[in-house]
Amino acid sequence: QALSGLVSTGDLDVCRKYLDNLVRDSAAMNILLPVKDPAIAALIHSFRVMGQENGIELHLDIQNDLSCVVTSVYETNKIIGNLLQNAIDEVRGHTDKSFGIHLYILKRGENCIIRVTNKIVSDANARTYLEDVYKPGLSTKTGHEGIGLSSVRQLLGRYRGVVYSRLEDDTIHFIAKIPLRMEGAAP
């Protein structure tokens, strides 16, 4: 209807801009189509937009629709949101943001794997930091209570899931393993 109105007024420049925005938004949402729940897709999309506003590209590789995880939509969003927010907070301060942030959602065995990968500023204390990062009250961010990763660990522990980190040179991976719902089990 909007395009029809713009065409009927003869304002082709505004019509082209509107159509370009529509195509761009549609392409961005098509990448999120594998995610079954619209609330999870919306959360990921909002982080993608937040990243763009900070000059950070969020690369997505979604191979699991998250429909069979034991966590609720709210809990799944809490996990994804925490990992992506931490990555954006880290990369926002980088001079070189070309690597961006990578979000992978995969199925491996009886688990759904959510992995967020980004570069970190070289820090000799990075390995020590990784040992402490899941402790309640630890935060490298001013004004934060440091409850994010510890609450994700606690949440996943209720379902026999885990969250852990892996450091490879200047690249950090935060990996959450969420068990899949057993066939026939109540949601």
Side-chain angles (χ1 to χ4, degrees), residues 57-127:
E57 186 170 354
L58 176 57
H59 306 275
L60 304 175
D61 185 352
I62 300 173
Q63 299 177 23
N64 182 285
D65 69 3
L66 295 166
S67 65
C68 292
V69 292
V70 295
T71 51
S72 69
V73 169
Y74 171 80
E75 292 168 326
T76 303
N77 269 353
K78 185 174 180 177
I79 295 163
I80 293 170
N82 189 283
L83 297 179
L84 287 175
Q85 185 64 59
N86 287 344
I88 285 177
D89 289 345
E90 169 66 26
V91 177
R92 183 183 288 144
H94 293 191
T95 306
D96 179 6
K97 300 174 185 172
S98 62
F99 182 83
I101 297 169
H102 297 258
L103 170 65
Y104 304 90
I105 301 175
L106 317 161
K107 179 183 180 288
R108 293 290 182 261
E110 297 302 313
N111 294 294
C112 174
I113 307 297
I114 298 171
R115 186 176 80 205
V116 174
T117 300
N118 58 274
K119 297 282 186 182
I120 59 170
V121 175
S122 280
D123 182 9
N125 298 322
R127 294 205 186 278

Side-chain angles (χ1 to χ4, degrees), residues 141-154:
K141 299 174 244 177
T142 305
H144 282 256
E145 300 90 16
I147 57 173
L149 287 172
S150 66
S151 69
V152 167
R153 177 170 272 177
Q154 184 179 18

